[in-house]
Amino acid sequence: MNDRYDAGYGQTPYELVGYDEYGQPVYRQVPAQQVPQQAYDPYGQQQGYGYDPYATGGQQNGQPGQDQPPGYDPYDTGRQAPVQDPYGTGAYPPQGGNGAPYDPYGQTATSGQQPRVAEQTAYIPQQAGPTPQETETEPESPAPQREYHTEQFAFVEEPDTDSEDVIDWLNFTENRTERREEAKRRARSRLVALVVVLALTAVGGVGYLWYAGKLPGLSSSDDSKTGTTTATGAQKRDVIVVHLHDTAQGGTATALLVDNTTTKQGTTVLLPNSLVVTTDDGTTTTLAKSVDEDGSDGTRAALDTVLGTQIQGTWRLDTPYLQNLVDLVGNIEVDTDIAVPDPAAKKKGQAPLVNKGEDQTLSGKMAVAYATYRAEGEAQNAQLERFGQVMQGVLRKISSDAQGATVTIQTLAQILDPSLTDKDLGAFLAKLADLAKGGDYKTALLPVQADGTLSAETGESVVKDVLGGTAKSPDKDAAVSVSVQNASGTRAHTEDARVVLLNGGFTFLDGGTPADTRGASQVLYADAADKENATEVAKTLGLPTSAVKKGTVAANADVSVVLGQDYEPSSTS
């Protein structure tokens, strides 16, 4: 870029040295030499365009020989510079009568050409048309040396952009490094937190399994139905007893509702009416008789004694309330095992109220009929199991929210046992409902022997595993044992007599069914000391005292009974 720039209008006294911070070219003056100055015509000397922006003395407005327009001094050198005529009209006469040409750089005096100063830098503004360096000037005579001042020139200072770029790059790399380090620190923190959470979860899981007795090698019993092992010693259970009272036909049905809060398992334990319990005065009786005579408190205490449980409360559920409860929860679904006729039917052969089959939808009335139905010749346990089905169906439909279940109980408007408030019962049923909906609920029948006592197998399978108690049946020798033969020709009479005798506090022994039927019933005793007991047995069965006679008695019984066709079953059995 050290060569002189020639735009085609003649050699100029300036050369390009660079660009300023605004992108404008910067020139410097070459060493002094004679440069002929020629008139500049920006439009190629075309006639009619006389504007000479640099007032070099060319033809103006197409009029040759016209006086030059006033010039101006762009660097304010202090001399009186001629005034510029931008349009070359000649309206501005030369100052002082001197017609010197316009010199924008102050290089000439009033006449002649000034010698060039050595190596001076000047700022040349960018123009839209040809630059002053491109003009051709006519040679002039030398002029005296003129004086220049520094304020005449605008020196260009190139910004040191390289240093700023370096600083920006350093800042960028430093910020990026800091961001990377911060990201690494956050990642390490998250990793540590994740490890801590996993460790706490593992410890908590192992602790729960240990508390629930589910760790391998630490269990004491095996649940054959669920396939899991549980430790019975540390388990916590909430238990209430519910008594269903049939207000239309008489009789009761009893069940225990158990919530094992340790294993998260719910169970309905069905208790046969023939279960022998001990009353407060030390005498033995059956569960059904205890419910009728001793009430809720006496029966609850008797059950705690025989089963080794701790029952928290008693829920008396009469059949009208059961009907309302089923209607409140919106009907229930039950797999029925028998068709139940309509109790209100006036003619036989009408359609049953409850059909036999799977997933039968039962309303309140249908649920009560199914829960209390006992077909001819059926044992009481069959009816008891139907009651258990209805209870589990209700639990699957009742609200799992304690408040919602409490509102349902309060809507029934029952008079509850003082030990069991509506809030306590609602919260308890809500927990069982949650288990029933999740499939963690079952129904179990308490096996009772013919004499109403519990066997060792019973104590192991239900009393110990489900209730967490110990079976303590009364001594069989404390009750009068009665052997019954059914010669009435009706098979259901045996079961009816068994229930009636057990409810009366006697021990029942099945004497079988003879081949021949008899018209009249008999009650036999062998020793005179047992005559009073035989008379009491006759009264319990509803037989006349004339049926009591001395005779042959079974070897393992105190009194023998032969049922005849005159025997009428009890309505409370």
Side-chain angles (χ1 to χ4, degrees):
M1 297 301 295
N2 292 329
D3 295 337
R4 297 177 182 179
Y5 178 79
D6 191 348
Y9 299 96
Q11 193 175 29
T12 62
Y14 292 93
E15 66 180 26
L16 180 66
V17 296
Y19 296 86
D20 62 3
E21 59 182 341
Y22 302 104
Q24 303 294 336
V26 177
Y27 301 88
R28 70 176 179 179
Q29 194 174 24
V30 297
Q33 59 183 355
Q34 296 297 329
V35 179
Q37 296 183 358
Q38 299 178 358
Y40 164 62
D41 185 0
Y43 297 98
Q45 309 258 344
Q46 297 181 12
Q47 297 298 326
Y49 298 90
Y51 169 61
D52 184 4
Y54 298 100
T56 56
Q59 295 179 356
Q60 305 293 332
N61 294 331
Q63 301 296 330
Q66 190 177 357
D67 292 340
Q68 299 295 330
Y72 82 103
D73 184 5
Y75 298 103
D76 192 15
T77 57
R79 287 194 302 274
Q80 185 176 359
V83 179
Q84 179 184 7
D85 182 8
Y87 302 101
T89 59
Y92 299 95
Q95 294 183 2
N98 188 1
Y102 165 57
D103 186 0
Y105 300 101
Q107 298 178 9
T108 60
T110 57
S111 65
Q113 181 179 3
Q114 294 294 334
R116 308 295 183 181
V117 296
E119 298 294 331
Q120 292 193 20
T121 304
Y123 172 75
I124 305 302
Q126 183 71 20
Q127 300 293 335
T131 61
Q133 290 80 358
E134 300 171 350
T135 60
E136 295 182 359
T137 58
E138 297 179 357
E140 298 180 359
S141 60
Q145 181 75 25
R146 62 178 295 180
E147 182 181 1
Y148 293 93
H149 300 278
T150 57
E151 61 270 14
Q152 295 180 242
F153 306 96
F155 295 93
V156 178
E157 181 180 358
E158 297 183 358
D160 190 0
T161 57
D162 294 340
S163 60
E164 295 181 359
D165 292 341
V166 172
I167 293 175
D168 293 341
W169 173 253
L170 292 177
N171 291 336
F172 171 74
T173 54
E174 182 178 2
N175 293 337
R176 185 171 63 177
T177 303
E178 291 179 355
R179 288 195 298 269
R180 288 178 177 176
E181 293 297 330
E182 181 64 23
K184 291 179 180 179
R185 286 194 294 270
R186 288 196 298 266
R188 286 194 295 267
S189 300
R190 294 191 187 102
L191 181 60
V192 172
L194 178 61
V195 172
V196 171
V197 170
L198 291 177
L200 293 177
T201 302
V203 172
V206 173
Y208 169 76
L209 293 176
W210 172 83
Y211 177 79
K214 295 183 178 181
L215 286 178
L218 297 181
S219 61
S220 61
S221 65
D222 178 65
D223 190 341
S224 59
K225 292 187 178 181
T226 61
T228 59
T229 56
T230 56
T232 59
Q235 296 177 12
K236 182 180 182 301
R237 300 169 178 85
D238 295 329
V239 183
I240 67 170
V241 57
V242 53
H243 300 297
L244 176 65
H245 289 257
D246 188 351
T247 58
Q249 301 177 6
T252 60
T254 303
L256 296 178
L257 302 180
V258 183
D259 176 20
N260 191 323
T261 59
T262 302
T263 62
K264 306 299 181 182
Q265 176 69 45
T267 308
T268 297
V269 180
L270 305 175
L271 305 180
N273 284 337
S274 60
L275 176 65
V276 176
V277 295
T278 304
T279 61
D280 293 338
D281 57 2
T283 61
T284 60
T285 186
T286 60
L287 175 61
K289 190 174 182 179
S290 177
V291 173
D292 291 336
E293 296 180 0
D294 298 334
S296 59
D297 292 338
T299 302
R300 184 167 64 245
L303 289 175
D304 284 339
T305 300
V306 72
L307 300 176
T309 58
Q310 293 181 352
I311 301 174
Q312 284 81 30
T314 300
W315 182 20
R316 173 168 176 159
L317 185 62
D318 294 348
T319 48
Y321 292 112
L322 175 61
Q323 179 175 340
N324 293 338
L325 178 59
V326 174
D327 290 336
L328 283 174
V329 299
N331 300 337
I332 61 175
E333 286 73 35
V334 175
D335 295 337
T336 58
D337 62 349
I338 193 173
V340 179
D342 189 352
K346 298 180 180 179
K347 296 181 180 180
K348 293 184 179 181
Q350 293 183 353
L353 179 62
V354 179
N355 294 318
K356 178 181 179 181
E358 296 181 355
D359 294 331
Q360 295 293 316
T361 300
L362 305 183
S363 63
K365 180 180 179 181
M366 297 167 66
V368 170
Y370 183 76
T372 59
Y373 182 70
R374 178 181 172 186
E376 184 178 355
E378 280 189 330
Q380 192 261 338
N381 289 347
Q383 176 265 322
L384 187 62
E385 290 179 345
R386 296 184 186 111
F387 169 56
Q389 287 181 283
V390 171
M391 287 303 301
Q392 188 165 348
V394 170
L395 292 175
R396 284 196 297 261
K397 296 297 293 289
I398 203 170
S399 175
S400 299
D401 177 66
Q403 182 63 30
T406 301
V407 171
T408 301
I409 296 300
Q410 291 174 342
T411 306
L412 293 177
Q414 287 182 280
I415 300 176
L416 298 175
D417 186 85
S419 62
L420 188 66
T421 64
D422 51 3
K423 292 184 179 180
D424 293 338
L425 180 57
F428 180 78
L429 294 179
K431 295 178 181 178
L432 292 182
D434 188 57
L435 296 175
K437 295 173 184 177
D440 298 321
Y441 201 93
K442 61 183 180 181
T443 300
L445 176 65
L446 181 68
V448 176
Q449 300 183 95
D451 58 358
T453 60
L454 300 175
S455 64
E457 180 182 357
T458 301
E460 182 68 23
S461 62
V462 177
V463 177
K464 184 179 181 181
D465 295 344
V466 178
L467 300 176
T470 303
K472 299 178 181 178
S473 293
D475 187 4
K476 291 186 292 183
D477 296 335
V480 176
S481 58
V482 179
S483 176
V484 177
Q485 284 185 328
N486 185 6
S488 64
T490 304
R491 186 178 57 180
H493 287 173
T494 301
E495 178 63 22
D496 182 80
R498 184 181 74 87
V499 174
V500 172
L501 290 173
L502 290 176
N503 289 341
F506 299 98
T507 300
F508 174 82
L509 299 175
D510 191 355
T513 302
D516 299 331
T517 60
R518 294 187 181 184
S521 301
Q522 291 182 343
V523 179
L524 305 176
Y525 64 92
D527 297 332
D530 293 325
K531 182 179 180 179
E532 184 178 355
N533 293 332
T535 303
E536 188 66 26
V537 169
K539 292 179 180 179
T540 303
L541 292 174
L543 298 175
T545 56
S546 59
V548 178
K549 296 178 181 180
K550 186 177 182 179
T552 303
V553 179
N556 58 345
D558 299 323
V559 177
S560 291
V561 175
V562 179
L563 296 179
Q565 294 178 347
D566 61 344
Y567 175 72
E568 294 181 0
S570 174
S571 60
T572 61
S573 60

